[in-house]
Amino acid sequence: MSTTPDLIETAQCLCLASRRAARAITRAFDQELRAHGLRATQFTLLATLSLKGEQTISGLAEFIVADRTTMTRNVALAEEKGLVSVRRHDGDARVRLVVITPEGRERLTAALASWGEVQAGLTAAIGSDAADRLRHLAGGGMARRPTRPGTSRPVGKR
């Protein structure tokens, strides 16, 4: 078993920690939204469509920061449940437009209070400042590559 200092640092890997945190956060939302027949991904899809109106699959994928193929699958699952409808764009048959259905809007409205409880609970658990920093990072707030403490050398460079 190797115990070199660089390898030991991987136990504190931010990538691993963020993935674990993302899974824990998603599980918390999924658990609460299950009572409304939704998963966190479906709630986010419905909320996005409600806020932005009719969207292309590519536009949804870009806004939610998901692969287009993942978004296509999520839209198909939501369409099977009657939460969204999909139609071809009038000007370009290759483009599919997604819109929230009345059933999707009802489900979103019913789930909003549950979502709010999880959101408030998680924000309290990690603190408002940490929640704001998380949103900042998620919004691309890390434009520069992080540097090693006490140097101007980027992390990962020797």
Side-chain angles (χ1 to χ4, degrees), residues 118-137:
V118 177
Q119 179 81 354
L122 289 170
T123 300
I126 67 172
S128 293
D129 290 344
D132 288 343
R133 286 192 302 276
L134 178 62
R135 289 183 198 99
H136 179 72
L137 284 173

Side-chain angles (χ1 to χ4, degrees), residues 3 16 21 81 89 94 147 151:
T3 57
L16 177 60
K81 291 176 112 179
H89 187 279
R94 297 170 298 174
T147 57
T151 75

Side-chain angles (χ1 to χ4, degrees), residues 12 17 20-21 24 28 30 37 43 53 57-59 73 78 81 84 87 99 106 108-109 119 122 126-127 129 146 158:
Q12 299 301 313
R20 285 178 173 166
D30 279 346
F43 180 89
I57 290 179
S58 294
R73 181 177 172 274
K81 291 176 112 179
V84 301
R87 68 172 180 83
V99 65
E106 286 176 26
L108 174 64
T109 300
Q119 179 81 354
L122 289 170
I126 67 172
D129 290 344
R158 295 259 172 222

Side-chain angles (χ1 to χ4, degrees), residues 29 37 44-45 50 52 85 101 106 109 116 129 138 147-148:
F29 279 104
T44 300
L45 173 64
S50 186
K52 296 177 69 67
S85 63
T101 63
E106 286 176 26
T109 300
D129 290 344
T147 57
R148 288 189 179 270

Side-chain angles (χ1 to χ4, degrees), residues 30-70:
D30 279 346
Q31 184 176 352
E32 192 67 28
L33 295 171
R34 188 175 296 128
H36 303 283
L38 295 174
R39 298 198 60 166
T41 52
Q42 294 165 335
F43 180 89
T44 300
L45 173 64
L46 296 177
T48 301
L49 290 169
S50 186
L51 289 168
K52 296 177 69 67
E54 184 177 74
Q55 295 290 302
T56 64
I57 290 179
S58 294
L60 285 167
E62 184 177 327
F63 183 78
I64 294 174
V65 189
D67 295 336
R68 191 178 186 289
T69 54
T70 300

